[in-house]
Each structure stands twice: as structure tokens, then as C-alpha cells.
Coordinates of all heavy atoms in Angstrom, one line a residue:
Y1 N 106.3 98.8 103.1 CA 106.4 99.7 101.9 C 104.9 100.1 101.5 O 104.2 99.4 100.9 CB 107.1 99.0 100.8 CG 108.5 98.6 101.1 CD1 108.7 97.3 101.6 CD2 109.5 99.5 101.1 CE1 110.0 96.9 102.0 CE2 110.8 99.1 101.5 CZ 111.0 97.8 102.0 OH 112.3 97.5 102.4
A2 N 104.6 101.3 101.9 CA 103.2 101.8 101.7 C 102.9 101.8 100.2 O 103.7 102.2 99.4 CB 103.1 103.3 102.2
T3 N 101.8 101.2 99.9 CA 101.4 100.9 98.5 C 100.0 101.3 98.2 O 99.1 101.1 99.0 CB 101.6 99.4 98.1 OG1 103.0 99.1 98.4 CG2 101.4 99.2 96.7
V4 N 99.8 101.9 97.0 CA 98.4 102.2 96.5 C 98.2 101.6 95.2 O 99.2 101.3 94.4 CB 98.1 103.7 96.5 CG1 98.2 104.4 97.9 CG2 99.1 104.4 95.5
I5 N 97.0 101.4 94.8 CA 96.6 101.0 93.5 C 95.9 102.2 92.8 O 95.0 102.8 93.4 CB 95.6 99.8 93.5 CG1 96.3 98.6 94.2 CG2 95.2 99.4 92.1 CD1 95.3 97.6 94.7
C6 N 96.3 102.5 91.6 CA 95.7 103.7 91.0 C 95.6 103.6 89.5 O 96.4 102.8 88.9 CB 96.4 105.0 91.4 SG 98.1 105.1 90.9
D7 N 94.8 104.4 88.9 CA 94.6 104.5 87.4 C 95.6 105.5 86.9 O 95.8 106.5 87.6 CB 93.2 104.9 87.1 CG 92.8 104.9 85.7 OD1 93.4 105.7 84.9 OD2 92.0 104.0 85.3
P8 N 96.2 105.3 85.8 CA 97.1 106.4 85.2 C 96.5 107.7 85.2 O 97.2 108.8 85.3 CB 97.5 105.8 83.8 CG 97.2 104.4 83.9 CD 96.1 104.2 84.8
R9 N 95.2 107.8 84.9 CA 94.5 109.1 84.8 C 94.4 109.8 86.1 O 94.0 111.0 86.2 CB 93.2 108.9 84.1 CG 93.3 108.4 82.7 CD 92.0 107.9 82.1 NE 91.7 106.6 82.7 CZ 90.9 105.7 82.2 NH1 90.4 105.9 81.0 NH2 90.6 104.5 82.8
E10 N 94.8 109.2 87.2 CA 94.7 109.8 88.6 C 96.0 110.4 88.9 O 96.1 111.1 90.0 CB 94.3 108.8 89.6 CG 92.9 108.2 89.4 CD 92.7 107.1 90.5 OE1 93.5 106.1 90.6 OE2 91.6 107.2 91.2
L11 N 97.1 110.2 88.2 CA 98.4 110.7 88.5 C 98.6 112.1 88.2 O 98.1 112.7 87.2 CB 99.5 109.8 87.7 CG 99.5 108.3 88.0 CD1 100.4 107.6 87.1 CD2 99.8 108.1 89.5
E12 N 99.4 112.8 89.1 CA 99.7 114.2 88.9 C 101.2 114.4 89.2 O 101.8 113.8 90.1 CB 98.9 115.1 89.9 CG 97.4 115.0 89.7 CD 96.7 115.9 90.8 OE1 96.5 115.4 91.9 OE2 96.3 117.0 90.4
L13 N 101.8 115.4 88.5 CA 103.1 115.8 88.7 C 103.1 117.1 89.5 O 102.7 118.2 88.9 CB 103.9 115.9 87.4 CG 105.4 116.0 87.4 CD1 106.0 114.8 88.1 CD2 105.9 116.1 86.0
R14 N 103.5 117.1 90.8 CA 103.5 118.3 91.6 C 104.9 118.5 92.3 O 105.4 117.5 92.9 CB 102.4 118.3 92.6 CG 101.0 118.1 92.1 CD 99.9 118.5 93.1 NE 100.1 117.8 94.4 CZ 99.4 116.7 94.7 NH1 98.5 116.2 93.8 NH2 99.5 116.1 95.9
K15 N 105.4 119.7 92.2 CA 106.7 120.0 92.9 C 107.8 119.0 92.6 O 108.6 118.6 93.4 CB 106.4 120.0 94.4 CG 105.4 121.1 94.9 CD 105.2 121.0 96.4 CE 104.2 122.1 96.8 NZ 103.9 122.0 98.3
G16 N 107.8 118.6 91.3 CA 108.8 117.7 90.8 C 108.6 116.3 91.2 O 109.5 115.5 91.0
R17 N 107.5 115.9 91.8 CA 107.3 114.5 92.2 C 105.9 114.0 91.7 O 105.0 114.8 91.4 CB 107.3 114.4 93.8 CG 108.5 114.8 94.4 CD 109.8 114.0 94.0 NE 109.7 112.6 94.4 CZ 110.1 112.2 95.6 NH1 110.7 113.0 96.5 NH2 110.1 110.9 95.9
L18 N 105.8 112.7 91.6 CA 104.6 112.1 91.1 C 103.7 111.8 92.2 O 104.1 111.2 93.2 CB 104.9 110.8 90.2 CG 103.7 110.3 89.4 CD1 103.4 111.2 88.3 CD2 104.2 108.9 88.8
F19 N 102.4 112.1 92.1 CA 101.4 111.9 93.2 C 100.2 111.3 92.7 O 99.8 111.5 91.5 CB 101.0 113.2 93.9 CG 102.1 113.8 94.8 CD1 103.1 114.6 94.3 CD2 102.0 113.6 96.2 CE1 104.1 115.1 95.2 CE2 102.9 114.2 97.1 CZ 104.0 114.9 96.6
V20 N 99.5 110.5 93.6 CA 98.1 110.2 93.4 C 97.4 110.7 94.7 O 97.7 110.2 95.8 CB 97.8 108.7 93.2 CG1 98.5 107.8 94.2 CG2 96.3 108.4 93.0
G21 N 96.6 111.7 94.5 CA 96.0 112.4 95.7 C 97.2 113.0 96.5 O 98.0 113.7 96.0
D22 N 97.2 112.7 97.8 CA 98.3 113.1 98.7 C 99.4 112.1 98.8 O 100.3 112.3 99.6 CB 97.7 113.5 100.1 CG 96.7 114.6 100.0 OD1 96.9 115.5 99.2 OD2 95.8 114.6 100.8
F23 N 99.3 111.0 98.1 CA 100.3 110.0 98.2 C 101.5 110.2 97.2 O 101.3 110.2 96.0 CB 99.6 108.6 97.9 CG 100.5 107.4 98.1 CD1 100.5 106.8 99.4 CD2 101.3 106.9 97.1 CE1 101.3 105.6 99.6 CE2 102.0 105.7 97.3 CZ 102.1 105.1 98.6
R24 N 102.7 110.4 97.8 CA 103.9 110.6 97.0 C 104.3 109.2 96.5 O 104.4 108.2 97.2 CB 105.0 111.2 97.8 CG 106.3 111.5 97.1 CD 107.5 111.6 98.0 NE 108.0 110.3 98.5 CZ 108.0 110.0 99.7 NH1 107.5 110.8 100.7 NH2 108.4 108.8 100.1
I25 N 104.7 109.1 95.2 CA 105.1 107.9 94.6 C 106.6 107.9 94.3 O 107.1 108.8 93.6 CB 104.3 107.6 93.3 CG1 102.8 107.6 93.5 CG2 104.7 106.3 92.6 CD1 102.0 107.6 92.3
D26 N 107.3 106.9 94.8 CA 108.7 106.7 94.6 C 108.9 105.7 93.5 O 109.8 105.8 92.7 CB 109.4 106.3 95.9 CG 109.2 107.3 97.0 OD1 109.5 108.5 96.7 OD2 108.8 106.9 98.1
V27 N 108.1 104.6 93.5 CA 108.3 103.5 92.6 C 106.9 103.2 91.9 O 105.9 103.1 92.6 CB 108.7 102.2 93.3 CG1 108.8 101.0 92.3 CG2 110.1 102.4 93.9
V28 N 106.9 103.2 90.6 CA 105.7 102.8 89.9 C 105.9 101.4 89.5 O 106.8 101.1 88.7 CB 105.4 103.7 88.6 CG1 104.4 103.0 87.7 CG2 105.0 105.1 89.1
Y29 N 105.0 100.5 90.0 CA 105.0 99.1 89.5 C 104.0 99.1 88.4 O 102.8 99.0 88.6 CB 104.6 98.1 90.6 CG 104.5 96.7 90.2 CD1 105.3 96.1 89.3 CD2 103.5 95.9 90.7 CE1 105.2 94.8 88.9 CE2 103.3 94.6 90.4 CZ 104.1 94.0 89.4 OH 104.0 92.7 89.0
K30 N 104.5 99.2 87.2 CA 103.6 99.5 86.0 C 103.0 98.2 85.5 O 103.6 97.3 85.1 CB 104.4 100.1 84.8 CG 103.6 100.4 83.6 CD 104.5 100.6 82.4 CE 105.1 99.3 81.9 NZ 104.1 98.3 81.5
R31 N 101.7 98.1 85.6 CA 100.9 97.0 85.1 C 100.1 97.4 83.9 O 99.6 96.5 83.1 CB 100.0 96.4 86.2 CG 100.8 95.7 87.3 CD 101.6 94.5 86.9 NE 100.7 93.5 86.4 CZ 100.2 92.5 87.2 NH1 100.6 92.4 88.4 NH2 99.4 91.6 86.7
V32 N 100.0 98.7 83.6 CA 99.3 99.1 82.4 C 100.1 98.8 81.2 O 101.3 98.9 81.2 CB 99.0 100.6 82.5 CG1 100.2 101.5 82.5 CG2 98.0 101.1 81.3
I33 N 99.4 98.3 80.1 CA 100.1 98.0 78.9 C 100.6 99.2 78.2 O 99.8 100.2 78.0 CB 99.1 97.2 78.0 CG1 98.7 95.9 78.7 CG2 99.8 96.8 76.6 CD1 99.7 94.9 79.0
I34 N 101.8 99.2 77.7 CA 102.4 100.5 77.2 C 101.7 101.0 76.0 O 101.4 102.2 75.9 CB 103.9 100.2 76.9 CG1 104.7 100.1 78.2 CG2 104.5 101.4 76.0 CD1 106.1 99.6 78.0
H35 N 101.3 100.2 75.1 CA 100.7 100.7 73.9 C 99.3 101.3 74.2 O 98.8 102.3 73.6 CB 100.6 99.7 72.7 CG 99.7 98.5 72.9 ND1 100.2 97.3 73.3 CD2 98.4 98.4 72.7 CE1 99.2 96.5 73.4 NE2 98.1 97.1 73.0
E36 N 98.6 100.7 75.2 CA 97.3 101.2 75.6 C 97.5 102.5 76.3 O 96.7 103.5 76.2 CB 96.6 100.2 76.5 CG 96.2 98.9 75.8 CD 95.5 97.9 76.7 OE1 95.4 98.2 77.9 OE2 95.0 96.9 76.2
F37 N 98.5 102.6 77.1 CA 98.8 103.9 77.8 C 99.1 105.0 76.9 O 98.6 106.1 77.0 CB 100.0 103.7 78.8 CG 100.5 104.9 79.4 CD1 99.9 105.5 80.5 CD2 101.6 105.5 78.9 CE1 100.3 106.7 81.0 CE2 102.1 106.7 79.5 CZ 101.5 107.3 80.5
L38 N 100.0 104.7 75.9 CA 100.3 105.8 74.9 C 99.2 106.2 74.0 O 99.1 107.3 73.6 CB 101.5 105.3 74.1 CG 102.9 105.1 74.9 CD1 103.9 104.6 74.0 CD2 103.3 106.5 75.5
E39 N 98.3 105.2 73.7 CA 97.2 105.5 72.9 C 96.2 106.4 73.6 O 95.5 107.3 73.1 CB 96.4 104.3 72.5 CG 97.2 103.5 71.4 CD 96.6 102.0 71.2 OE1 95.6 101.7 71.9 OE2 97.2 101.3 70.4
T40 N 96.1 106.2 75.0 CA 95.1 107.0 75.8 C 95.7 108.2 76.4 O 95.0 109.3 76.4 CB 94.6 106.1 76.9 OG1 94.0 104.9 76.4 CG2 93.6 106.8 77.8
C41 N 97.0 108.2 76.8 CA 97.6 109.3 77.6 C 98.7 110.0 76.9 O 99.0 111.1 77.3 CB 98.1 108.7 78.9 SG 96.8 107.9 79.9
A42 N 99.3 109.4 75.9 CA 100.4 110.1 75.1 C 101.7 110.3 75.9 O 101.7 110.0 77.1 CB 99.9 111.4 74.5
T43 N 102.7 110.9 75.3 CA 104.0 111.0 75.9 C 104.2 112.2 76.8 O 105.2 112.4 77.3 CB 105.1 111.0 74.8 OG1 104.8 112.1 73.9 CG2 105.1 109.7 74.0
D44 N 103.1 113.1 76.8 CA 103.2 114.3 77.7 C 102.4 114.0 79.0 O 102.2 115.0 79.8 CB 102.7 115.5 77.0 CG 101.3 115.5 76.6 OD1 100.7 114.3 76.6 OD2 100.7 116.5 76.1
H45 N 102.0 112.8 79.2 CA 101.2 112.5 80.5 C 102.2 112.6 81.7 O 103.4 112.5 81.6 CB 100.7 111.0 80.4 CG 99.9 110.6 81.5 ND1 100.5 110.0 82.6 CD2 98.6 110.6 81.7 CE1 99.5 109.7 83.5 NE2 98.4 110.0 82.9
P46 N 101.6 113.0 82.9 CA 102.5 113.1 84.0 C 103.4 111.9 84.3 O 104.6 112.1 84.7 CB 101.5 113.3 85.2 CG 100.3 114.0 84.5 CD 100.2 113.4 83.1
L47 N 102.9 110.7 84.1 CA 103.8 109.5 84.3 C 104.9 109.5 83.3 O 106.1 109.3 83.7 CB 102.9 108.2 84.2 CG 103.7 106.9 84.2 CD1 104.5 106.8 85.6 CD2 102.8 105.7 84.1
A48 N 104.6 109.8 82.1 CA 105.7 109.8 81.0 C 106.7 110.9 81.3 O 107.9 110.7 81.2 CB 105.1 110.0 79.7

């Protein structure tokens, strides 16, 4: 299972899929703390 480590700020929503660079993401194993994510990135972030 191809896996990358990335920062939420590196994520992009393209063609209806979530990417980091050229890597298509099917599963996000979320380790970022939710309240920190929402304080920094808000609910309109590509991940959200």
C-alpha cells in the first residue's frame, strides 16, 4: 500500500480527488489534531 507522509498544507483537491503532488490519496490516516487543523486551515480546506 503506497504511502506518503505530508503536511495538511500540501494537500490539493484536483479532478475530484485529493492529491499531494502527483500522489493520489485514497485513505487519509489523520494524525493532525482536529482543533489545530480547524484553527489553521478551516472547514473549506481541501481535506475538509
Side-chain angles (χ1 to χ4, degrees):
Y1 302 93
T3 302
V4 298
I5 302 165
C6 61
D7 188 291
R9 292 163 291 201
E10 297 175 305
L11 299 173
E12 297 178 281
L13 194 55
R14 301 197 306 264
K15 299 179 182 178
R17 302 298 294 271
L18 194 65
F19 284 83
V20 53
D22 294 328
F23 186 89
R24 184 199 76 243
I25 301 170
D26 302 308
V27 176
V28 167
Y29 175 40
K30 182 197 70 61
R31 292 295 296 267
V32 65
I33 301 297
I34 289 172
H35 69 261
E36 294 180 352
F37 171 79
L38 292 176
E39 288 166 2
T40 302
C41 301
T43 57
D44 61 350
H45 183 272
L47 175 58

